[in-house]
Amino acid sequence: MTVQLKWGLRFLAVAVLALCLAPLVLDRETVFRLGEESGLIEQGSVWIWLAAAVWTLGRTLQARRWLPLAFALVMVLMGVREAGLPPELVPSGKALLSWRHYADASIDPLRRLITGGLVLAFLVSLIASVVATLRYLWRQQGWRRPDGQFFVLALVLLVVAQLAEGWAGHRDTPDTDLWVLWALMLEEGLEALGAVFTLAASTLRGWWVFRPAR
């Protein structure tokens, strides 16, 4: 186990413990404000994702490689996802992935063209990032190295956060059961931790996407 992973796991343990203790030591209204959609934790996640994107973009411009740019675009997408899309521009995030949205004549053609191009760029970036990461983890045994370990941790945390999201059910009132408050804190907290570990991986000097391809 690498030194970076040891410290990362210690940080993760303390953070998860704090998330679990919050509903027990804080009043329910405060916990709800922290864990609700657009709450303080989610707002923090947005800035962490954007910081990771800016950091990666800066390194990308210096390295002049295209693959890190794909990761930067995915990080921006995750930050936008956390922040939410303005309803006056996009009624639903799912609409961007629906053919009906682009076939709707009531929507300005230029707007459909721009959104379609952005969605296509993000999808290509997402696929490229996932494929490249899996190849690194499998072929080069990247799971043994800090950058690969942090990315795996980030992915696991984001998946578990989605499970907690279904458990929480997006309650819109602080008058909820204790287990719902736990789910709210874990959902937003684990998503924020996923962003933290992604940022940590992107700041490592030996991040594999900036090394020559093998």
Side-chain angles (χ1 to χ4, degrees):
M1 184 182 295
T2 62
V3 174
Q4 292 93 333
L5 181 60
K6 288 182 179 179
W7 281 105
L9 291 176
R10 291 174 184 173
F11 170 75
L12 176 61
V14 172
V16 172
L17 179 61
L19 292 172
C20 293
L21 289 178
L24 300 176
V25 299
L26 301 175
D27 61 89
R28 295 194 174 198
E29 186 174 351
T30 300
V31 174
F32 180 77
R33 287 201 302 268
L34 289 172
E36 68 177 338
E37 293 294 314
S38 72
L40 293 177
I41 297 179
E42 185 173 83
Q43 292 176 8
S45 298
V46 174
W47 288 107
I48 296 172
W49 281 117
L50 293 180
V54 170
W55 183 275
T56 302
L57 180 60
R59 296 181 65 180
T60 301
L61 295 177
Q62 293 179 350
R64 297 181 180 180
R65 298 194 64 202
W66 70 269
L67 183 58
L69 180 60
F71 281 84
L73 289 175
V74 172
M75 292 169 184
V76 170
L77 176 62
M78 293 298 296
V80 171
R81 174 186 173 276
E82 290 296 314
L85 294 168
E88 61 272 12
L89 295 179
V90 181
S92 169
K94 294 181 180 179
L96 292 178
L97 299 177
S98 173
W99 177 252
R100 294 181 179 178
H101 175 77
Y102 302 101
D104 189 349
S106 64
I107 301 177
D108 183 72
L110 180 59
R111 176 178 164 187
R112 282 180 283 168
L113 180 63
I114 293 175
T115 54
L118 291 174
V119 169
L120 180 61
F122 280 127
L123 288 177
V124 171
S125 298
L126 179 61
I127 294 173
S129 300
V130 171
V131 171
T133 300
L134 292 177
R135 182 181 301 173
Y136 170 67
L137 294 175
W138 178 257
R139 291 187 177 181
Q140 302 182 38
Q141 294 188 333
W143 55 273
R144 295 178 178 271
R145 301 170 185 171
D147 52 355
Q149 292 167 345
F150 281 178
F151 267 109
V152 170
L153 272 177
L155 178 61
V156 171
L157 290 170
L158 292 173
V159 170
V160 176
Q162 292 306 304
L163 297 177
E165 180 179 356
W167 188 15
H170 291 294
R171 301 297 178 90
D172 56 0
T173 171
D175 185 18
T176 57
D177 296 331
L178 181 61
W179 65 270
V180 175
L181 295 177
W182 268 324
L184 287 171
M185 291 298 292
L186 287 175
E187 175 200 347
E188 299 299 337
L190 294 181
E191 286 184 348
L193 288 171
V196 168
F197 278 102
T198 302
L199 174 60
S202 68
T203 58
L204 291 175
R205 181 172 298 178
W207 189 17
W208 62 273
V209 298
F210 290 104
R211 297 201 299 266
R214 296 183 181 181

